[in-house]
Amino acid sequence: ETGVTQSPTHLIKTRGQQVTLRCSSQSGHNTVSWYQQALGQGPQFIFQYYREEENGRGNFPPRFSGLQFPNYSSELNVNALELDDSALYLCASRMENTEAFFGQGTRLTVV
Amino acid sequence: AQSVTQLGSHVSVSEGALVLLRCNYSSSVPPYLFWYVQYPNQGLQLLLKYTSAATLVKGINGFEAEFKKSETSFHLTKPSAHMRDAAEYFCAVSFYRTSYGKLTFGQGTILTVHP
């Protein structure tokens, strides 16, 4: 158990819809990152939030957006879903300059 | 740009045999290096990390890894494999000072342990 919880665990959406994934960080962690893991691939960095501000972004289009709240929980929003968005979405939290702790992930299927 | 290469997408060993999973990285600045394990339908669990202290790093479940700057490698080893070690393993690199701590992962190595 890492103390990082994600919801929901599984989700099925239709192409063109919007989805919101949620993450509750480990207590005391002020940095949260989101990763996309396609089937058979390593996780790819989407973006990171530090104290409610985005401070890093990977090679993902603007339809991927996020929020971090004062209690350091976080959301990942994806608009205009595409079939290729089907993946495991992982949330990771940490303090500055320490290792990241991952949640169990949300499995998103776009049909 | 930083990158990680894991040599061998699948490794198969017998129970009790040595486990060796290979990882090479490229970077222009000193890296932090990590190994994570992922069991089916689960998230990532940290096995061990290198953060510029001792070059031989010991982790959980009997795993260890050695940072070799001259070879730009960070291979993961375990002297004796157990059935419970069967999982997918990811090597990752991070540069806190230059890229806000994002992790760049390799493609993963699936470890199979047979009786």
Side-chain angles (χ1 to χ4, degrees):
Chain A
E1 288 293 327
T2 64
V4 181
T5 57
Q6 293 185 241
S7 62
T9 55
H10 294 82
L11 200 55
I12 300 175
K13 289 287 191 177
T14 302
R15 189 172 51 183
Q17 285 187 315
Q18 179 267 342
V19 69
T20 296
L21 310 182
R22 295 178 174 82
C23 173
S24 177
S25 300
Q26 184 168 326
S27 178
H29 287 185
N30 56 16
T31 302
V32 65
S33 305
W34 286 90
Y35 292 81
Q36 180 195 66
Q37 186 179 15
L39 199 61
Q41 303 290 321
Q44 298 289 317
F45 176 76
I46 303 175
F47 47 57
Q48 177 171 283
Y49 282 80
Y50 171 68
R51 295 183 177 178
E52 303 177 56
E53 297 285 333
E54 183 181 301
N55 74 337
R57 189 175 185 92
N59 188 28
F60 281 81
R63 59 189 185 84
F64 286 78
S65 63
L67 285 172
Q68 187 183 30
F69 299 100
N71 66 355
Y72 300 135
S73 64
S74 176
E75 287 182 356
L76 164 65
N77 299 288
V78 186
N79 293 321
L81 283 166
E82 301 176 359
L83 297 179
D84 285 349
D85 296 333
S86 295
L88 180 68
Y89 288 85
L90 296 164
C91 167
S93 75
R94 61 181 176 87
M95 289 296 292
E96 298 104 271
N97 295 348
T98 64
E99 64 268 25
F101 292 89
F102 284 80
Q104 297 289 76
T106 294
R107 174 74 63 187
L108 173 65
T109 302
V110 182
V111 297
Chain B
Q2 63 215 46
S3 67
V4 176
T5 301
Q6 291 183 238
L7 300 175
S9 58
H10 291 80
V11 170
S12 181
V13 300
S14 299
E15 193 171 19
L18 171 72
V19 175
L20 170 61
L21 304 182
R22 300 177 186 274
C23 172
N24 288 88
Y25 68 92
S26 66
S27 78
S28 56
V29 296
Y32 289 3
L33 293 158
F34 307 83
W35 276 99
Y36 285 87
V37 61
Q38 187 175 37
Y39 297 99
N41 299 313
Q42 294 192 23
L44 302 174
Q45 180 184 8
L46 181 68
L47 281 176
L48 50 78
K49 62 179 180 179
Y50 166 77
T51 57
S52 74
T55 56
L56 181 62
V57 180
K58 294 188 182 298
I60 63 172
N61 302 338
F63 284 94
E64 64 181 36
E66 185 173 9
F67 172 68
K68 292 187 176 180
K69 184 178 179 181
S70 61
E71 299 177 6
T72 62
S73 69
F74 190 58
H75 301 332
L76 182 70
T77 61
K78 182 174 180 178
S80 177
H82 292 271
M83 297 295 290
R84 62 176 177 265
D85 295 327
E88 189 161 17
Y89 292 80
F90 291 94
C91 181
V93 64
S94 181
F95 306 92
Y96 288 112
R97 295 178 185 175
T98 60
S99 63
Y100 40 81
K102 75 167 188 175
L103 290 164
T104 299
F105 287 87
Q107 292 289 79
T109 298
I110 296 173
L111 175 66
T112 302
V113 182
H114 50 87

